[in-house]
Amino acid sequence: MVREALSSVVSRETAAPGKPAADGPVGYSARRDGDWPRPPKTRVICICNQKGGVGKTTSAVNLAAALSMHGLRVLVVDLDPQGNASTALATEHRAGTPSIYQVLVEDLPMESIVTQVPDMPGLFCAPATLDLAGAEIELVPMVGRETRLRRAFAAYESAQMDYILIDCPPSLGLLTVNALAAAQEVLIPIQCEYYALEGLTQLLQNVELVRVHLNQTLNVSTILLTMYDGRTRLASQVAEEVRSHFGATVVDAVIPRSVRVSEAPSYGQSVMTYDPGSSGAMAYMDAAREIAYRGAAVAEA
């Protein structure tokens, strides 16, 4: 079943150059765990998957926290009307709060909504409110509706950020298209279960359409395996098949199922600060380190 689900998924955009995933990125794990390398320019990464519950928001928040803890300046753009990333980062997002909705629909400058996350120097959040739920409809008649987020980034002093992580809603609507049009890279979290693979073909087709028509620099740079349960045969089978099809695009670090990861947002924290010694926190730290060093290796090449 897993092989059948993945058989039509392979796309030329995911064929990342370099060593196979088993070898890992060159030297990233051997370096000292101090400040991680800064990218030569801001890396804008869209974290998307139209299936809900695969760990998009959790990954966005924890990867951002891990990167900021190692000397990097990171902005999380919450593009999900549920506002879960804003909650996890203890950022105000009640109705009426200036948010990414005003940026997309009313042309409010991005800098007017960006807020520093409490007790996390270097980590910033552009919050989402429930107003964003109506943005899909309101954007339809607007000129350049697919590229409004990209224009907002262009007007924003994004060079002060090392990373911009965009947390997308669980759909392939206009909000996600805006995120894909504004990003350079796509990170796809894949839950280690069969159903999580079924919509992957459609997602990759949409990424390809956006690349052809809106954003020629877009590429699927990272696939992150989430909610891995080592006790089940299916989880290891899914992980093995994903790696065999996507090779070096798949991050070596695998995110396990973790109660601490689920608990952290209720305290307005990422798991990186809530319980840094937990298996989930260490896995996200490894994944963030790998992403940072991979980006540095690509830049040097």
Side-chain angles (χ1 to χ4, degrees), residues 57 61 78 80-89 93 167 265:
T57 299
V61 167
D78 192 352
D80 188 343
Q82 299 176 82
N84 292 334
S86 304
T87 299
L89 295 174
H93 63 107
D167 180 32

Side-chain angles (χ1 to χ4, degrees), residues 49-51 56 136 168-176:
N49 190 327
Q50 79 273 22
K51 186 180 186 303
K56 291 187 297 296
E136 294 271 3
C168 293
S171 71
L172 293 176
L174 271 175
L175 292 176
T176 300

Side-chain angles (χ1 to χ4, degrees), residues 1-7 194-195 197-198 234 237 241:
M1 291 171 62
V2 174
R3 289 183 185 277
E4 291 175 0
L6 281 167
S7 61
Y194 173 72
Y195 286 135
L197 302 172
E198 288 195 313
L234 178 62
Q237 185 183 9
E241 291 298 326

Side-chain angles (χ1 to χ4, degrees), residues 45-288:
I45 303 175
C46 170
I47 301 177
C48 71
N49 190 327
Q50 79 273 22
K51 186 180 186 303
V54 299
K56 291 187 297 296
T57 299
T58 300
S59 297
V61 167
N62 289 304
L63 290 174
L67 290 166
S68 70
M69 292 167 69
H70 289 81
L72 298 166
R73 292 173 62 84
V74 186
L75 170 63
V76 175
V77 177
D78 192 352
L79 213 59
D80 188 343
Q82 299 176 82
N84 292 334
S86 304
T87 299
L89 295 174
T91 301
E92 181 64 61
H93 63 107
R94 290 180 297 181
T97 302
S99 69
I100 198 68
Y101 168 81
Q102 279 80 14
V103 172
L104 292 174
V105 177
E106 301 174 5
D107 293 321
L108 191 70
M110 178 72 73
E111 59 265 19
S112 64
I113 69 162
V114 172
T115 306
Q116 182 169 341
V117 176
D119 303 318
M120 293 289 290
L123 183 56
F124 302 83
C125 179
T129 62
L130 280 174
D131 295 332
L132 198 58
E136 294 271 3
I137 298 173
E138 294 181 61
L139 285 171
V140 170
M142 292 186 176
V143 176
R145 61 192 179 189
E146 301 93 350
T147 58
R148 293 184 70 83
L149 184 62
R150 182 166 69 191
R151 291 202 299 272
F153 283 170
Y156 177 62
E157 292 293 332
S158 59
Q160 62 186 305
M161 298 295 172
D162 297 305
Y163 288 82
I164 297 178
L165 304 184
I166 309 173
D167 180 32
C168 293
S171 71
L172 293 176
L174 271 175
L175 292 176
T176 300
V177 170
N178 263 271
L180 292 171
Q184 302 139 7
E185 305 176 41
V186 180
L187 185 155
I188 304 176
I190 298 181
Q191 185 179 4
C192 292
E193 294 182 4
Y194 173 72
Y195 286 135
L197 302 172
E198 288 195 313
L200 197 53
T201 301
Q202 184 183 0
L203 174 60
L204 292 175
Q205 288 172 346
N206 278 45
V207 170
E208 178 64 20
L209 285 172
V210 171
R211 192 220 314 268
V212 171
H213 297 288
L214 296 171
N215 183 3
Q216 295 182 356
T217 63
L218 186 66
N219 76 95
V220 178
S221 64
T222 310
I223 292 178
L224 181 65
L225 296 169
T226 64
M227 301 182 186
Y228 181 85
D229 188 345
R231 300 170 298 176
T232 66
R233 182 178 177 182
L234 178 62
S236 59
Q237 185 183 9
V238 169
E240 180 182 346
E241 291 298 326
V242 170
R243 291 189 188 282
S244 70
H245 279 271
F246 293 104
T249 308
V250 186
V251 174
D252 288 349
V254 176
I255 311 302
R257 288 191 177 273
S258 170
V259 174
R260 295 302 193 193
V261 170
S262 302
E263 288 177 349
S266 64
Y267 293 90
Q269 297 183 52
S270 68
V271 73
M272 314 308 299
T273 54
Y274 176 68
D275 188 355
S278 65
S279 60
M282 291 189 289
Y284 272 116
M285 186 67 76
D286 289 342

